[in-house]
Amino acid sequence: MGLRMILSMSVNLYANRVILNQLGVTEFGIYNVVAGLTVMMSFFSNALITAVQRCYNVELGVNGKSGLQTVFSASNICVVIVAVSFVAIALPVGMWMLAHVLSIPDGYGDVARYAFWLSIVVVVVEITRIPFNSLIISCERMSFYAWNSILESLLKLLIVFLLSCASGSKLMVYMWLLVGVAMIVNVSYVWYVKRTLPSIKLSFVRGIGKVKEIGRFVGWNVLTAIANVAHLQGSVMILNVFFGVTLNATMGIANQVKTAVTSIARSVQVASNPQLVQHCASNRKDAFEKLLARATFFAMFFVLLIGIPIVENTWSVLELWLRIVPPNSVMFVRLMILFCFFYAVFEPLKDAIQATGHIACYQTIESVVWVLSLPIIYVGYHEGFPSWWMMVVLDGLAALIFGVRLWFARRLCGVNVWRYFKNVYVKGFMALAPAWGIMWGVGLFIDNGLIKLLVTTVLWGILFPMLCFIFVLSRSERAQVSAKVKRMLGVRQ
């Protein structure tokens, strides 16, 4: 699965480079504005994903697979409600913001509106995928995600080819192609569920009793969902108001780096979430805490493995990846890597807290912290701070959120904070510090940017995993890894 994720990540980075060149900085910036505007108002769907996923996992932990049909039916009812609510909110609010708030270059108003309408269609299609997506994750059919990521990567390559053949406004063509990709991916989910879980039927009757339970959990998650959308997409809107679409293109590049760096970390989170909830539901505390520590470490490991060479060679990476490097991209990308680190270490804590079901106080505090980003960013820009001030604010609040989640994990889940820190961060630092120090020292003696990128990346790719193997993994885990590597190499034990 990891190799397929790396393949998909490479294809996505190449595709995004070509898409930037095909659309140009202006249309690429407009795309990031309207896509951000749509995502900003899709908070219902984010809350629904969390609620449905937890409901499936609790059902599996308590009653096994016998209650999955009820949850599936209830989630379909919720999907209809959320999709209708999303369109009713997003369409009028988005059109008003395009007309009166956002900075769109002259002559691109119609293109921006058209792209916004199609981005709404994409989100609605993705909302209808939620019951199938959550069901597959809960049943731990993770190999499907590996193959599905390859499918999406191939479709992205097809988009690149078709876009290069298009004439006229390529942004409009690109949006239609994204609608087509979303529909094809939906078909793959429906086909997989029908093929592997034939007992699950599309129904809107059997799950009526579960709708209230899901709705209650959605209600509290809406707070955090709104706050997440506000700090990620609202900040992009503020960036657009002060700096225009050119800096939105820069932020778009930083977000593509974020997607690439966190892709494997997200896979770790997706794989560990069902077991975390099931351990919590069945009161297996030791297994719960051990899995939390391991999920956090491996998510952090993959972010650092990919992110540190990018931090050390940011300009070389951007120059190699993009023909057109938007302004201030180096600072945005480096600060985004730091944000990715915080994402990797605090997302498993969120899953642990969500597993308990006691989320009212936690959601309220976290939501307030995230929403604070908007006035802080706005005031900073108003006072003349540089464009990357936004990322400084988001990184600082991410560190604060990490502390909030750690406190709630101790209070609600009984996590031993010192043991958690020792097993994840103290041991992780013992591998990180010498590996980064040696890589940095070697890089000082290399002037050529491309050669430095190659040498330091290879050196980091060897040293960091090796030191993690020595300092972080337990004896039994080292034995398991060694045995797996020997099997992969065909060595007899």
Side-chain angles (χ1 to χ4, degrees), residues 361-412:
C361 183
Y362 153 72
Q363 298 282 34
T364 303
I365 294 174
E366 182 168 319
S367 299
V368 170
V369 172
W370 279 132
V371 171
L372 283 175
S373 64
L374 298 183
I376 296 173
I377 292 170
Y378 184 89
V379 170
Y381 284 159
H382 188 268
E383 295 299 317
F385 286 18
S387 57
W388 42 266
W389 165 247
M390 177 182 74
M391 289 307 308
V392 173
V393 173
L394 295 182
D395 286 342
L397 291 180
L400 181 58
I401 288 294
F402 171 69
V404 169
R405 290 185 179 179
L406 191 61
W407 186 83
F408 274 100
R410 182 185 66 82
R411 181 171 178 265
L412 298 178

Side-chain angles (χ1 to χ4, degrees), residues 413-457:
C413 310
V415 173
N416 185 310
V417 174
W418 164 241
R419 186 163 59 230
Y420 173 77
F421 255 88
K422 183 183 69 173
N423 290 334
V424 178
Y425 305 110
V426 174
K427 291 182 177 180
F429 182 77
M430 292 171 65
L432 172 66
W436 196 348
I438 293 171
M439 180 188 69
W440 177 77
V442 171
L444 292 177
F445 296 96
I446 304 175
D447 295 325
N448 185 285
L450 186 59
I451 295 176
K452 179 184 176 183
L453 170 63
L454 180 62
V455 171
T456 54
T457 300

Side-chain angles (χ1 to χ4, degrees), residues 51-71:
V52 172
Q53 181 68 66
R54 180 184 179 276
C55 205
Y56 274 127
N57 291 332
V58 169
E59 195 69 31
L60 283 169
V62 176
N63 300 318
K65 294 185 177 181
S66 60
L68 289 182
Q69 176 63 59
T70 302
V71 179

Side-chain angles (χ1 to χ4, degrees), residues 218-235:
V218 167
W220 283 111
N221 274 283
V222 161
L223 281 175
T224 301
I226 292 175
N228 284 337
V229 167
H231 86 269
L232 291 175
Q233 302 304 329
S235 57

Side-chain angles (χ1 to χ4, degrees), residues 233-462:
Q233 302 304 329
S235 57
V236 173
M237 303 298 110
I238 297 174
L239 183 69
N240 171 264
V241 170
F242 281 91
F243 297 97
V245 296
T246 301
L247 265 295
N248 284 119
T250 300
M251 189 61 189
I253 294 301
N255 280 326
Q256 296 297 339
V257 172
K258 175 188 173 186
T259 300
V261 171
T262 59
S263 58
I264 302 180
R266 280 197 299 272
S267 297
V268 173
Q269 182 191 355
V270 168
S272 62
N273 179 265
Q275 287 295 320
L276 271 176
V277 177
Q278 291 169 36
H279 287 332
C280 183
S282 55
N283 201 31
R284 297 192 294 267
K285 290 186 178 180
D286 289 341
F288 175 87
E289 190 168 334
K290 183 177 180 181
L291 179 59
L292 174 63
R294 276 294 165 255
T296 304
F297 168 74
F298 282 111
M300 180 181 70
F301 169 81
F302 286 117
V303 164
L304 294 175
L305 183 66
I306 301 171
I308 296 301
I310 297 176
V311 171
E312 285 293 322
N313 305 278
T314 310
W315 177 254
S316 298
V317 170
L318 292 175
E319 197 174 32
L320 184 65
W321 175 28
L322 308 169
R323 293 179 182 175
I324 306 171
V325 180
N328 294 327
S329 295
V330 171
M331 186 61 73
F332 268 82
V333 167
R334 285 176 173 169
L335 291 171
M336 183 60 82
I337 296 293
L338 179 58
F339 186 84
C340 292
F341 170 78
F342 286 118
Y343 170 88
V345 298
F346 67 38
E347 280 301 289
L349 290 171
K350 182 195 76 172
D351 292 339
I353 297 167
Q354 295 272 5
T356 67
H358 304 295
I359 61 173
C361 183
Y362 153 72
Q363 298 282 34
T364 303
I365 294 174
E366 182 168 319
S367 299
V368 170
V369 172
W370 279 132
V371 171
L372 283 175
S373 64
L374 298 183
I376 296 173
I377 292 170
Y378 184 89
V379 170
Y381 284 159
H382 188 268
E383 295 299 317
F385 286 18
S387 57
W388 42 266
W389 165 247
M390 177 182 74
M391 289 307 308
V392 173
V393 173
L394 295 182
D395 286 342
L397 291 180
L400 181 58
I401 288 294
F402 171 69
V404 169
R405 290 185 179 179
L406 191 61
W407 186 83
F408 274 100
R410 182 185 66 82
R411 181 171 178 265
L412 298 178
C413 310
V415 173
N416 185 310
V417 174
W418 164 241
R419 186 163 59 230
Y420 173 77
F421 255 88
K422 183 183 69 173
N423 290 334
V424 178
Y425 305 110
V426 174
K427 291 182 177 180
F429 182 77
M430 292 171 65
L432 172 66
W436 196 348
I438 293 171
M439 180 188 69
W440 177 77
V442 171
L444 292 177
F445 296 96
I446 304 175
D447 295 325
N448 185 285
L450 186 59
I451 295 176
K452 179 184 176 183
L453 170 63
L454 180 62
V455 171
T456 54
T457 300
V458 171
L459 184 62
W460 173 257
I462 295 172

